[in-house]
Amino acid sequence: MIGVAIAMVIKTEWFINFSGRIQWAEDKLGGDGTRTFYKLLGIIIIFLSVLVMSGRIFAIFDWIFSKG
């Protein structure tokens, strides 16, 4: 997952050419919103992958979904 996410951040243009522009991102994130969306998505995937590999994601889920 980290490899794909790094590719999304570095080779954003390839992903845009492969899948096309995302109209929602263009509307909400500005004129170059698709490029920004792919870069943000890649960074989020990297962050979540590191949390899963380290096992911290389960502690975060426990904190979020605990009943108090």
Side-chain angles (χ1 to χ4, degrees):
M1 289 302 293
I2 291 178
V4 172
I6 289 172
M8 288 179 82
V9 173
I10 295 173
K11 300 288 187 181
T12 306
E13 197 62 37
W14 183 87
F15 282 92
I16 292 172
N17 290 335
F18 180 74
S19 64
R21 297 221 174 256
I22 301 170
Q23 191 59 43
W24 174 87
E26 296 292 328
D27 293 341
K28 301 296 182 190
L29 300 175
D32 210 14
T34 301
R35 185 170 282 105
T36 304
F37 174 77
Y38 279 121
K39 289 186 184 291
L40 288 173
L41 183 62
I43 291 169
I44 290 169
I45 291 171
I46 291 169
F47 181 71
L48 289 174
S49 297
V50 169
L51 287 176
V52 168
M53 287 188 307
S54 68
R56 297 299 301 163
I57 193 78
F58 304 111
I60 292 172
F61 283 154
D62 286 343
W63 177 70
I64 292 172
F65 296 114
S66 67
K67 295 184 180 189

